[in-house]
Amino acid sequence: MNRVIIAGGGIAGLAASLAFDRAGWEVTVLERAPQLGEVGAGIQLSPNACKVLDWLGILPAIREHAFTPATADLRDGLSGETLLSVPLGPAAEARWHAPYLHIHRADLLSVLAKAVERRRIDLRLGIEAVRAVDQPDAVSVHLSDGSLLAADLAIGADGIRSALRAAINPDEAPRFTGQTAWRALIPAAALPGGTIPRTATVWAGAGRHLVTYYLRGGDLINLVAVLERAAWTEESWSAPGDVDALRKAFDGWHPAVSALLAAVDTCFLWGLFDRPEQVRWTSGHTALIGDAAHPMLPFMAQGAGMALEDVPVLVNAVGSGSDIPAALEAFERRRWPRVTRVLQRARANGRLFHHPPGMAQWLARTPIRLAGQIAPGLAAGQLDWLYGFDATQG
């Protein structure tokens, strides 16, 4: 039986463990945290991501914890004008053959962890992979306790700070993107009903934008507020946020935004980092997936989607494990063009959301307004390449 060692017990790592176990591999997952968990935050699962969750057999359990938004909207942060609205809900399932869902990250991890517990997967908490060394026909994974594991395949699903990435791309470090993000969860009951629309909403403004959507059946509102910033000086990539600074950054915005920010008690502040695109994700018997391979700005809400898509493509590529280096190269060739397209679109959305008032903003927004008013189905069609894709096929 082939053996795979997966570094990282997050969304990508646990999803990969389920897929490889089902394919008949012996699976070990290494997670440095003493228990599985996640800082309270929401995540958007678009139809392409939900197709993978369905393939893994856990979409029904995901739905039990999720919220289904009616639309995805782009609004002006100051006036509240709706610039574009894309139907979701039943329309998403009819068009893209899978739902569009919002879920708390902790709930998603809980569903994945419960599925792992029901399988033969060896999940080791409180220990991490620190290095992978390729051998002629295998890979040696060095652990933080000084021990060593051998496997046919090592997968780095350990995030943007991936330890396994160093073996493939030495002397290459994450880079600050010039964006920071406050994240907060607000009880929906803290606001008058209808204050925040029950949609996936981007509120756009000069040099900043804000995203709102509901979680846990509508009981929580997830807030992500992004601001351009020259530098990131915190030692960690996230830190307790200053609520007053958050409110000041969006002072004078639409009354719904102001009411939501007034209800924020605590928040966290993240520096948003990425890595160069022209690097390898695989080498010998080692592969990277998710943020370890291709971290991206959240402006397409596709970080989890691309990580989940990696999983079936990788499992199908390696198959029975007869020629793993060649299979990993094939995996990278297949995934690179699509992931790069998403990365580029995410960056473009950041520029679109943050246009300052004036002619440039008017020129950028006018086609969006016209599309929403004259041909509302056109906007949905522009997303067919993304949401209509099924990584489990082929």
Side-chain angles (χ1 to χ4, degrees):
M1 179 184 291
N2 291 105
R3 185 182 192 188
V4 57
I5 296 172
I6 301 171
I11 295 169
L14 295 184
S17 74
L18 292 172
F20 273 94
D21 175 79
R22 188 171 65 178
W25 287 58
E26 180 185 346
V27 181
T28 298
V29 179
L30 308 172
E31 169 53 47
R32 67 179 177 181
Q35 61 185 17
L36 296 178
E38 185 78 36
V39 173
I43 189 170
Q44 300 189 56
L45 297 172
S46 51
N48 52 305
C50 285
K51 289 169 189 172
V52 178
L53 296 170
D54 191 35
W55 176 76
L56 291 171
I58 59 174
L59 185 57
I62 296 294
R63 284 182 182 268
E64 293 179 10
H65 299 277
F67 179 85
T68 304
T71 59
D73 297 341
L74 175 62
R75 301 180 65 171
D76 181 83
L78 295 174
S79 69
E81 175 194 2
T82 299
L83 306 172
L84 184 68
S85 184
V86 178
L88 297 177
E93 296 204 47
R95 184 174 191 115
W96 299 303
H97 311 297
Y100 195 113
L101 304 174
H102 297 158
I103 191 168
H104 196 295
R105 285 179 180 266
D107 294 338
L108 175 56
L109 280 172
S110 177
V111 171
L112 285 163
K114 288 177 181 177
V116 167
E117 289 174 1
R118 295 191 292 267
R119 309 304 291 261
R120 302 162 299 164
I121 297 164
D122 178 17
L123 174 59
R124 305 186 188 185
L125 301 176
I127 192 165
E128 64 179 314
V130 296
R131 186 161 55 101
V133 179
D134 206 53
Q135 307 295 339
D137 297 310
V139 59
S140 299
V141 179
H142 296 249
L143 277 57
S144 54
D145 65 358
S147 62
L148 184 69
L149 295 177
D152 302 281
L153 171 62
I155 298 175
D158 45 347
I160 190 172
R161 291 178 169 180
S162 172
L164 267 59
R165 185 180 177 108
I168 301 174
N169 301 290
D171 303 322
E172 176 257 339
R175 57 192 182 189
F176 179 58
T177 63
Q179 313 271 3
T180 55
W182 285 279
R183 301 177 190 266
L185 291 172
I186 302 95
L191 297 168
T195 301
I196 298 298
R198 296 170 72 84
T199 61
T201 304
V202 175
W203 307 78
R208 67 208 67 202
H209 76 276
L210 190 142
V211 179
T212 57
Y213 56 87
Y214 283 79
L215 302 171
R216 291 183 173 164
D219 291 341
L220 290 175
I221 300 171
N222 189 75
L223 164 69
V224 182
V226 177
L227 177 69
E228 294 177 3
R229 176 170 166 173
W232 179 256
T233 57
E234 301 288 345
E235 290 185 7
S236 66
W237 290 19
S238 64
D242 183 333
V243 175
D244 289 334
L246 166 60
R247 293 176 183 144
K248 183 178 180 181
F250 294 88
D251 185 44
W253 276 43
H254 188 268
V257 172
S258 298
L260 180 65
L261 295 180
V264 174
D265 289 328
T266 59
C267 61
F268 286 87
L269 181 65
W270 263 257
L272 301 182
F273 288 74
D274 67 6
R275 286 182 180 269
E277 292 175 23
Q278 301 291 341
V279 294
R280 296 295 307 275
W281 303 345
T282 66
S283 177
H285 292 254
T286 302
L288 306 174
I289 62 174
D291 284 349
H294 42 70
M296 61 183 63
L297 290 169
F299 307 153
M300 285 285 285
Q302 283 298 311
M306 291 300 102
L308 288 168
E309 282 188 11
D310 286 342
V311 171
V313 178
L314 178 57
V315 170
N316 290 335
V318 299
S320 62
S322 58
D323 187 349
I324 288 176
L328 296 187
E329 290 182 2
F331 156 75
E332 184 172 348
R333 285 195 302 271
R334 182 176 177 197
R335 289 296 293 152
W336 197 89
R338 177 169 169 82
V339 171
T340 299
R341 184 178 183 184
V342 175
L343 284 164
Q344 293 171 347
R345 286 291 295 270
R347 293 188 186 120
N349 274 357
R351 294 190 293 271
L352 172 65
F353 297 162
H354 293 185
H355 269 302
M359 182 60 68
Q361 184 187 87
W362 184 86
L363 290 172
R365 290 183 173 183
T366 295
I368 296 173
R369 284 193 184 93
L370 292 175
Q373 295 168 2
I374 299 172
L378 182 62
Q382 294 297 308
L383 293 167
D384 286 347
W385 69 274
L386 181 59
Y387 298 162
F389 182 76
D390 189 348
T392 71
Q393 300 299 310

